[in-house]
Amino acid sequence: MKTFRLLATSLLVALGMGISSCGDDELEVSPPLNNVEQMCLEYGIADYQNIELLSLFKHGDNTAINIGQANFSGLRDNKLWLASFNIEDKSPIINWTDESPFNRNRRIYKGYGEYEDVTIQQITLLQAMPFNQDFVASLSYSFGKDYSYHALLFKQSSQTKEVQLKDSRFGIGAWYENSIINGKCCYSLSGDTIYIAEKGFGYSNVGVLYTSELLSYEEAIYSHRDNKGFFVGKRSFKLGEDLWHIQVPQLNDEPADAKIEVSVEDKSTPVWKFNVNIIHYDGTKKNVTFEVDTDNGTIKGQDDYASLIIGKWKMTSGNAVATHVTYKNDGTFEYTSTENPLYNEVGKYKIDGNKLYEMFSDEDEWIISDILLLNSMTLSVQELEADGVTPTGQKYSYQRVE
């Protein structure tokens, strides 16, 4: 403990004033605790004096992360020590000391083939995410220079792995089956990279997002509403695109100021049941339920290909002269091209099961295609040989034109 000792001259003055002193006793005065030390005591960390590089990161509205944690870090007996608590009730999240000595001397990669030897001057625990007895921690290391770097520490059983982060995105989020996401990367609990999501793990330009349910490390079913209507989609984060995206017609006419709550009532089969509670501004209440086949993106009761295919479609992938095709309710079709206004081909079509038959006006044989996906927004087909079974390899995808 820090002490303030009275100087000998002060003792002489005291004696001269008739104040006696007992032997060589010393007067010890405890200095005021600083903020970190005071917080240690509040959270039950009594041996804070023995912790080297003691640091505190407390979440708040003015911090980059605010999930209600008070995070302490430092070196206890030259071993990395991390402790995290819930601010609301001061309950512990993790309290861990490594088994091995901590190496403060590092050679860090600065990019572009450059390395530098540095000594860690400060360790800050930014975020902790527990998984039973294991955890993932987001750390910041400072070197007494004009830069620092962020790292993730994965603790699984008795093993630890540290991953230096390439950018400054140090926040971590829980993901599918004990995995976590950081930036554009999905990690296993052992710290291995599962995959990179080049376009990130969020949704853009979807208006109001209501639900997002993970199917796997890579895919999720989500629901949202924008100025065009209410939709359900299947997102591939790895590919950075929707695998399908359908509109729910019975929810298209709800007013913009309606309060909407969406839940998934049953996910036991590939056909999910959605429950939607709606309250209008005037107090009117409404409930809508519908079921979606999550494999192919069709709404139960609206999977009649003969009616779904009617309308105008824009080609999004495939090698063809046409950019658009319109299937009419009289059994005829028309191919056009915005790139070549003179191009125009017509013919007749029919649907049998999941096969599309097309015959151009100047032909006398059917072109047969497998319908891979057909819903209110997306059409995907694959051409077959004349036998109607063998794929030719030609695939075409279309998006419905509003």
Side-chain angles (χ1 to χ4, degrees), residues 127 129-131 134-136 152 154 156 171-182 185-195 201 214-219 237:
Q127 184 181 353
M129 182 168 291
F131 294 89
D134 302 320
F135 66 82
V136 180
L152 297 181
F154 297 84
Q156 187 176 39
I172 51 180
W175 203 242
Y176 184 76
E177 290 190 348
N178 287 350
S179 63
I180 66 106
I181 55 174
N182 166 265
C185 191
C186 177
Y187 294 96
S188 69
L189 192 53
S190 60
D192 296 324
T193 299
I194 297 176
Y195 72 98
F201 294 94
L214 289 170
L215 297 173
S216 66
Y217 296 108
E218 301 178 6
E219 297 175 353
F237 296 103

Side-chain angles (χ1 to χ4, degrees), residues 39 104 125 353:
M39 290 293 292
R104 292 179 59 181
L125 172 59

Side-chain angles (χ1 to χ4, degrees), residues 38-332:
Q38 182 64 47
M39 290 293 292
C40 282
L41 293 179
E42 289 184 15
Y43 284 88
I45 305 171
D47 64 339
Y48 62 87
Q49 295 169 307
N50 300 322
I51 300 173
E52 190 180 1
L53 304 184
L54 179 62
S55 176
L56 165 66
F57 182 80
K58 187 177 180 182
H59 292 197
D61 293 335
N62 61 337
T63 56
I65 303 174
N66 185 9
I67 53 175
Q69 293 183 356
N71 295 328
F72 300 84
S73 54
L75 300 180
R76 175 178 278 161
D77 295 327
N78 201 34
K79 297 175 182 178
L80 180 62
W81 166 75
L82 304 174
S84 178
F85 301 84
N86 291 301
I87 291 177
E88 184 175 0
D89 59 6
K90 294 184 171 58
S91 59
I93 299 172
I94 64 170
N95 195 332
W96 171 81
T97 303
D98 198 358
E99 297 178 357
S100 303
F102 184 79
N103 181 19
R104 292 179 59 181
N105 299 315
R106 304 291 180 93
R107 169 163 287 191
I108 64 169
Y109 183 65
K110 299 176 64 177
Y112 306 99
E114 293 186 16
Y115 293 84
E116 183 174 352
D117 294 326
V118 295
T119 300
I120 294 174
Q121 303 294 325
Q122 184 178 6
I123 305 166
T124 304
L125 172 59
L126 300 170
Q127 184 181 353
M129 182 168 291
F131 294 89
N132 296 320
Q133 301 302 313
D134 302 320
F135 66 82
V136 180
S138 176
L139 303 172
S140 175
Y141 293 137
S142 298
F143 314 109
K145 298 177 180 291
D146 58 353
Y147 62 88
S148 60
Y149 80 71
H150 296 106
L152 297 181
L153 180 69
F154 297 84
K155 186 266 181 183
Q156 187 176 39
S157 298
S158 60
Q159 303 296 316
T160 60
K161 180 177 181 179
E162 184 180 293
V163 176
Q164 180 180 343
L165 299 181
K166 184 178 180 180
D167 54 33
S168 59
R169 298 179 183 179
F170 49 81
I172 51 180
W175 203 242
Y176 184 76
E177 290 190 348
N178 287 350
S179 63
I180 66 106
I181 55 174
N182 166 265
K184 296 181 179 181
C185 191
C186 177
Y187 294 96
S188 69
L189 192 53
S190 60
D192 296 324
T193 299
I194 297 176
Y195 72 98
I196 303 294
E198 293 297 342
K199 295 185 180 180
F201 294 94
Y203 302 93
S204 59
N205 302 320
V206 297
V208 180
L209 179 69
Y210 292 109
T211 61
S212 179
E213 305 277 346
L214 289 170
L215 297 173
S216 66
Y217 296 108
E218 301 178 6
E219 297 175 353
I221 302 293
Y222 72 103
S223 62
H224 74 98
R225 183 171 68 141
D226 58 23
N227 57 6
K228 295 181 180 179
F230 187 98
F231 299 87
V232 176
K234 184 175 185 179
R235 181 74 174 175
S236 170
F237 296 103
K238 184 174 183 179
L239 298 177
E241 63 185 32
D242 285 349
L243 301 178
W244 52 257
H245 189 244
I246 59 172
Q247 193 168 34
V248 183
Q250 58 263 51
L251 293 170
N252 281 347
D253 297 328
E254 296 302 323
D257 60 352
K259 290 185 177 181
I260 296 179
E261 293 182 352
V262 183
S263 61
V264 182
E265 300 295 328
D266 187 2
K267 299 184 289 184
S268 60
T269 69
V271 179
W272 287 13
K273 182 178 180 181
F274 285 78
N275 184 63
V276 183
N277 289 313
I278 306 166
I279 303 178
H280 293 174
Y281 182 78
D282 63 3
T284 302
K285 295 183 179 181
K286 183 178 178 182
N287 178 261
V288 175
T289 61
F290 60 92
E291 294 181 331
V292 176
D293 188 326
T294 58
D295 287 336
N296 57 28
T298 57
I299 299 177
K300 189 175 180 180
Q302 295 182 339
D303 53 0
D304 181 3
Y305 286 168
S307 60
L308 279 173
I309 201 170
I310 295 173
K312 188 173 183 179
W313 302 85
K314 177 183 178 181
M315 184 178 293
T316 56
S317 67
N319 185 16
V321 176
T323 60
H324 291 76
V325 59
T326 302
Y327 294 99
K328 304 176 182 179
N329 57 12
D330 61 359
T332 63

